[in-house]
Every structure is written in C-alpha cells, then in structure tokens.
C-alpha cells in the first residue's frame, strides 16, 4: 500500500479526512488519537513516517495545540510513535513487521479461530427457541405486570444497606437467602434440609452445569425424560455425558424401561412433580423404585421442580427428595419463572456428602454471585411477600388457564384437544394425527405468537403433534388476540 505521507517531509493535508468524521460521541483528543492509531495500524502511515508538527496539525484541524500534544504523548506512550530530538515525531520503526503489504493483507494473514470439539457437539443438538417479550402465548412467562415492584424496591434498598456486612465470598451463596429457602422448602415441599445444603446459582442452567461437572465423567450415561426440556442436552454434552432418553406415560418417567436396561447409568434427570411439557406426575410407586435404584447403585437423581408452586388441583406434592431421598437426590428450583426472568436466581439442595465438594468446585468455577439480589430476595421472603405473591399468582394463573381452555373449546372445537394437567404455566393441546405442528408454530411465530410445537420436545420416542401454549403472563384480552391470530393458521392446516 502506497504511503500517503512522505517519510522525509510531513504532509499535514493527508489528515484532513479527520474533519469529515463524526466525533460527537467522543472527546476530540480521543477521536484524533483513534484516527492516527488506525492509520498507523492499517499502513497508511508506514513505519518511520514523519508526522506533522503539533502546531501545524492543530492549525489544520482547528484544534488547540495542547490537544494535539496530548494525542502525540498518548501515541508515544503506547509505542506508536517516537520523538527524535530536534527532528519531530515519527511512526515507530518497530511497527514495520506488523503492517500489511500487498502480499500480506490482514485478511490473508489471519487464521480462523479454532473451536473445540464441544462446538461441533453443540451444533448437533436441537437449537433452543429464543423468546421475544412482545410475542403472545409464550410458555413459561410469568405475569410480570403483577409483580410487587414497590415492595421489591424496598427489599433492594434494604439489601444495599446490608451489603456492608457481607463479605461476598461465600461460594454457596448468602446465608440469609439460603436460610429462607430451606425454611420455605421444609414447610411447603416436605424437603429435609438445612441452609448448609442450599447452594445459590445464577439460573437453573448454571446449577445443572455444575452438577453434571461434578457427577459425570466422559462417557457416563444420564437418564432423561422423553419428551423433556431440550435445554439439558447442552449441559450433558458439555461434560461428555451420554443422554439416554426414557419414554414417559401418564404415570411419568417409565422406570420399567429405564432401570432394567440401564443399570450402568450414573445419573437420572427428571421432573417428578410435572413433566415438561406434558405435565404428567411421577407416580409414588415409580418414585420409590427410582430412589431404590439410586441408593443401591450409588447414583444420583436430579429433581427439577421448575414450577411445582403452580399446582391448581390440590396441595403441592411432596418432593422426591423428601421421600427418604436426601442422600441421593439433588433438588433444583428457580425463582426466574416465579418472580421475574431477569432475576437469574436459582438453587440446588445438595445431599450432605456433596456440600463440601460442590463448594470447592464453585470457588474455582465463578467465585459466587453478587450479594445484592440475594440479600434483596432474602428480605422479600422474610417479610412474607414471596409466599403472598405466590398465592396471588396461583389463583390468577388458574383463572387464566380456565379462560384459555374455554376460548380454545369455543374457537377450535376438535382441532385442539387439551392434554389435562393439574397446573403449570402453559397448556398442551393435541392436534389431529398427521398434523404438522412445526409448520403451524413457525407460521404462528411470524404472526407474533410464541407457541411451541409439541414434537420439538421429543428425542427418540415417536412424537405427538400438538401445540404448547402459554397463558400465565397474559390477560384475557391478550389471550383473545393471540387465539384470533392462531385461528386462520389452524384453519389453513386443519380444515374443519
């Protein structure tokens, strides 16, 4: 590339393009520094090129001489230029090796970054849907407009004052929050634990990643439900685990299919209170069979209890961990679905023997979480606001589910058949056999709907065709609007 500046005589006019640059977002000295820096790196100002004097450049660019001097001092401090006594400033000769030539352009000289084998593995996994807040009928979206913001802000303010008493170095999480979670789980879910067993995580996905890292070696098998939550696939693959898909029926995870042929599995990941997405509950007989298997084989069960709080037809079920499973069950819960998705707080309840190993691993993994949101949530729970909010949302979501079921029955007749469930934040509606639920969902997405195809959640088992429709975060008018957009799509694919 031909130099724009003579190496012997400075040509300040070559700097005039700087005058056409927009510098409203940056101080003038910083803008000029970046301009000269980039010209040097690109080779427009080659090594040993002489720069204009500070006075000359200042006059040309209508800047103060002090501004140009400051820029030259910054360039010299970072090694771009050097000052020669009595002869002005020059581009550093050491930069000649890094500047491009016609045969050695930046594009040709730059090799692609090599990714690990993990990238290839993740490319083979079902991609996750991206949620857009403006979409209607998204599953797993809470009623965000009902969140008690004023009370929460009071808790945040209180937490800010309490931070001075927190070291922020407890890898398991803030003791105040862990104590509140343990008390809540003991009272509502029958879980046997104390606060020492509770670990706070940045979302349930982080908790799963930590647990799999601690419990699995490459090649170890993990029993999972089919259909089930696809987000777990990446966490298993990330540690080299092998997913073993186990079919479910109306009594939940089929232990007869899982335990007879997979005795060498190291871990089971299940949703016993409510399978995602179908909502089936694991029967007591199968719960006891699974616990017996884990104790006898020295294996672990991860109990994902993602929205057990929203059971509409009866009191909450006793957690699997509470059925004599405190030594082999890791209980996982989250606040993101209950309170607000941006809160990013979840927790694990660990068997006593795993507390110290997990605590040690956490110290190397991320060093723990920010204290402020943890202390705020601890105060929110201590003042009874968490449980009162849950009661209100449980009642609201039940009402919204009833409205959705009524409107779908009126609008879609036999085109959509509800798959009964005792709670949750979404409903599953089966389509006639042979229907293309993915095509329907894709078209619905183009119409601003967040409806998911049921077949997406299946892995090895023959998929059923249906739609997963969220209702928790939407009032009656929004539900009506969403179903009105869905109606012509359904009629196009499934004529009455």
């Amino acid at each position: 590339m031909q130099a724009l500046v003579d190496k012997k005589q400075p040509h300040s006019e070559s700097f005039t393009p700087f005058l056409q640059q927009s510098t409203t977002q940056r101080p003038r000295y910083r803008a000029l520094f970046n301009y000269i820096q980039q010209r040097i790196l690109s080779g427009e100002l080659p090594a040993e090129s002489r720069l204009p004097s500070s006075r000359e450049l200042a006059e040309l660019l209508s800047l103060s001489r002090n501004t140009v001097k400051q820029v030259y001092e910054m360039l010299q401090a970072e090694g771009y230029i050097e000052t020669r006594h009595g002869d002005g400033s020059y581009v550093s000769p050491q930069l000649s090796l890094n500047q491009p030539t016609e045969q050695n352009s930046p594009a040709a000289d730059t090799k692609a970054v090599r990714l690990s084998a993990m990238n290839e593995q993740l490319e083979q996994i079902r991609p996750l849907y991206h949620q857009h807040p403006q979409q209607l009928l998204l599953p797993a979206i809470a009623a965000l407009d009902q969140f008690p913001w004023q009370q929460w802000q009071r808790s945040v303010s209180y937490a800010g004052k309490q931070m001075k008493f927190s070291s922020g170095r407890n890898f398991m999480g803030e003791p105040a929050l862990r104590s509140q979670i343990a008390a809540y789980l003991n009272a509502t879910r029958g879980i046997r634990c104390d606060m020492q067993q509770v670990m706070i995580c940045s979302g349930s996905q982080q908790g799963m990643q930590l647990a799999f890292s601690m419990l699995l070696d490459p090649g170890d098998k993990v029993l999972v439900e089919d259909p089930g939550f696809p987000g777990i696939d990446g966490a298993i693959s990330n540690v080299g685990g092998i997913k073993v898909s186990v079919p479910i029926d109306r009594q939940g995870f089929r232990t007869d299919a899982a335990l007879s042929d997979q005795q060498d599995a190291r871990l089971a990941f299940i949703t016993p209170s409510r399978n995602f997405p179908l909502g089936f509950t694991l029967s007591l007989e199968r719960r006891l069979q699974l616990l017996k298997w884990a104790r006898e084989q020295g294996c672990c069960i991860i109990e994902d209890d993602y929205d057990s709080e929203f059971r509409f037809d009866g009191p909450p079920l006793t957690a699997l961990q509470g059925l004599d499973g405190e030594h082999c069950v890791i209980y996982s819960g989250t606040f993101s679905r209950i309170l607000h998705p941006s809160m990013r707080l979840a927790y694990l309840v660990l068997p006593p023997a795993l507390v110290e190993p997990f605590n040690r691993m956490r110290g190397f993994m991320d060093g723990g979480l920010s204290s402020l949101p943890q202390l705020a949530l601890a105060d929110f729970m201590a003042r009874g606001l968490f449980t009162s909010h849950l009661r209100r949302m449980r009642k609201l979501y039940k009402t919204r589910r009833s409205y959705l079921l009524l409107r779908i029955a009126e609008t879609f007749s036999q085109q959509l058949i509800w798959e009964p469930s005792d709670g949750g934040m979404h409903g599953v509606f089966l389509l006639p056999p042979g229907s293309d639920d993915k095509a329907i969902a894709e078209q619905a997405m183009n119409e601003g709907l967040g409806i998911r195809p049921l077949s997406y959640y299946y892995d090895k088992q023959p998929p059923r065709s249906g739609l997963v429709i969220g209702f928790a975060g939407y009032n009656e008018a929004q539900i009506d609007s969403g179903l009105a957009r869905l109606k012509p799509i359904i009629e196009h694919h499934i004529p009455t």
Side-chain angles (χ1 to χ4, degrees):
M1 182 179 297
Q2 185 177 359
L4 299 181
V5 177
D6 192 294
K7 290 190 178 184
K8 298 298 182 182
Q9 298 297 327
H11 293 279
S12 56
E13 290 78 7
S14 66
F15 288 82
T16 55
F18 172 76
L19 297 172
Q20 278 72 56
Q21 288 193 351
S22 174
T23 60
T24 56
Q25 302 300 320
R26 294 175 293 171
R28 298 287 287 175
Y29 80 89
R30 173 56 66 178
L32 180 58
F33 170 83
N34 291 145
Y35 175 75
I36 298 177
Q37 175 196 49
Q38 292 305 311
R39 292 192 66 197
I40 291 174
L41 293 174
S42 68
E44 293 180 79
L45 290 175
E48 299 196 68
S49 295
R50 186 181 179 189
L51 301 180
S53 69
S54 59
R55 184 188 302 278
E56 183 181 1
L57 191 58
E59 291 177 356
L60 176 69
L61 302 180
S62 299
L63 298 172
S64 72
R65 189 179 179 190
N66 285 339
T67 296
V68 177
K69 280 185 173 182
Q70 182 182 8
V71 170
Y72 277 13
E73 289 172 357
M74 292 169 60
L75 290 167
Q76 184 175 0
E78 294 195 20
Y80 293 104
I81 67 173
E82 60 181 32
T83 300
R84 299 175 184 176
H85 184 68
D87 195 24
S89 299
Y90 289 79
V91 176
S92 175
Q94 283 78 17
L95 294 176
S96 61
L97 296 177
N98 297 321
Q99 291 183 329
T101 64
E102 292 183 1
Q103 294 79 23
N104 183 27
S105 66
D109 191 47
T110 302
K111 291 185 178 180
V113 176
R114 185 183 69 84
L115 298 175
S116 70
M118 176 53 55
N119 175 65
E120 296 183 7
Q121 294 179 28
L122 292 177
E123 287 181 346
Q124 306 305 315
I125 295 175
R126 289 170 291 175
L128 298 177
Y129 277 103
H130 295 289
Q131 295 188 344
H132 302 285
Q134 66 271 22
Q135 290 181 325
L136 294 176
L137 307 184
L138 270 168
I141 294 296
L144 304 183
D145 60 331
Q146 301 296 314
F147 186 74
W149 287 110
Q150 289 186 342
Q151 293 92 330
W152 174 252
Q153 288 166 0
R154 285 182 56 190
S155 292
V156 172
S157 177
Y158 173 81
K161 299 174 183 177
Q162 294 300 305
M163 281 185 66
K164 63 182 179 181
F165 304 113
S166 171
S167 67
R169 293 297 296 167
N170 194 317
F171 302 145
M172 295 288 287
E174 286 293 332
L177 178 57
R178 294 159 61 203
S179 179
Q180 289 295 328
I181 291 174
Y184 166 73
L185 295 176
N186 287 333
T188 63
R189 303 293 289 120
I191 289 180
R192 305 174 185 178
C193 73
D194 57 38
M195 60 91 65
Q196 301 296 334
Q197 297 171 244
V198 178
M199 170 180 278
I200 309 301
C201 304
S202 176
S204 56
Q205 284 291 93
Q206 187 199 41
M208 293 306 99
Q209 191 67 64
L210 174 62
F212 292 152
S213 298
M214 291 296 293
L215 298 171
L216 296 176
D217 288 322
D220 283 346
K221 296 178 181 178
V222 183
L223 305 176
V224 299
E225 297 165 326
D226 189 4
F229 177 55
I232 206 64
D233 295 1
I236 295 174
S237 179
N238 193 41
V239 297
I242 299 174
K243 186 180 71 168
V244 178
S245 297
V246 178
I248 67 168
D249 57 24
R250 292 189 177 276
Q251 296 186 61
F253 185 82
R254 283 186 51 190
T255 51
D256 60 327
L259 307 184
S260 59
D261 299 326
Q262 304 295 339
Q263 294 287 358
D264 57 342
R266 296 297 308 147
L267 181 67
F269 178 87
I270 61 172
T271 54
S273 293
R274 182 174 300 106
N275 162 264
F276 185 87
L278 290 172
F280 299 151
T281 299
L282 186 63
S283 68
L284 177 60
E285 179 183 5
R286 293 183 181 179
R287 289 172 183 241
L288 297 177
Q289 289 174 348
L290 196 58
L291 288 171
K292 183 174 182 293
W293 164 79
R295 287 193 297 265
E296 291 180 350
Q297 300 297 320
C299 299
C300 198
I301 301 167
I302 296 180
E303 177 179 11
D304 185 10
D305 219 18
Y306 65 96
D307 67 353
S308 63
E309 292 83 2
F310 302 122
R311 186 168 187 258
F312 308 141
D313 307 324
L317 300 172
T318 300
L320 185 65
Q321 194 269 5
L323 295 176
D324 197 28
E326 63 267 31
H327 295 291
C328 60
V329 175
I330 296 177
Y331 179 90
S332 170
T334 180
F335 295 101
S336 298
R337 295 166 70 98
I338 302 173
L339 298 177
H340 199 281
S342 64
M343 191 165 290
R344 304 309 304 157
L345 284 177
Y347 56 89
L348 299 177
V349 178
L350 302 169
L354 299 184
V355 170
E356 181 53 34
F358 272 63
N359 183 55
R360 182 170 56 251
M361 173 76 168
R362 185 65 178 279
F364 291 109
M365 180 179 180
D366 63 14
L369 306 178
S370 171
S371 294
L372 183 64
Q374 296 183 68
L375 293 172
L377 182 53
D379 178 71
F380 192 76
M381 297 179 76
R383 291 194 288 139
L385 298 172
F386 176 73
T387 53
S388 64
H389 178 68
L390 269 182
R391 285 194 297 268
R392 290 191 303 110
M393 293 305 98
R394 190 179 296 118
K395 182 178 180 181
L396 176 66
Y397 294 170
K398 182 177 182 179
T399 300
R400 289 182 172 181
R401 184 187 70 168
S402 297
Y403 185 77
L404 175 69
L405 295 178
L406 175 64
R407 295 293 292 119
I408 284 184
E410 294 174 346
T411 307
F412 297 101
S413 183
Q414 296 301 307
Q415 295 167 309
L416 291 177
I417 304 300
W418 179 47
E419 180 66 76
S421 172
D422 63 4
M425 301 173 69
H426 68 266
V428 172
F429 298 86
L430 301 179
L431 293 163
S435 302
D436 189 346
D437 59 354
K438 291 183 178 178
I440 293 173
E442 182 177 354
Q443 190 173 347
M445 188 179 298
N446 294 333
E447 296 299 325
L449 302 178
I451 293 169
R452 305 297 188 227
L454 177 60
S455 62
Y456 165 75
Y457 298 98
Y458 284 82
D459 184 24
K460 303 298 183 183
Q461 309 307 315
R464 302 169 74 187
S465 181
L467 301 178
V468 181
I469 301 178
F471 56 80
Y474 307 98
N475 58 35
E476 293 183 359
Q478 291 171 316
I479 291 174
D480 285 341
S481 176
L483 295 182
R485 299 182 200 181
L486 180 62
K487 184 176 181 180
I489 300 173
I490 294 292
E491 290 178 344
H492 172 74
H493 288 269
I494 311 170
T496 54

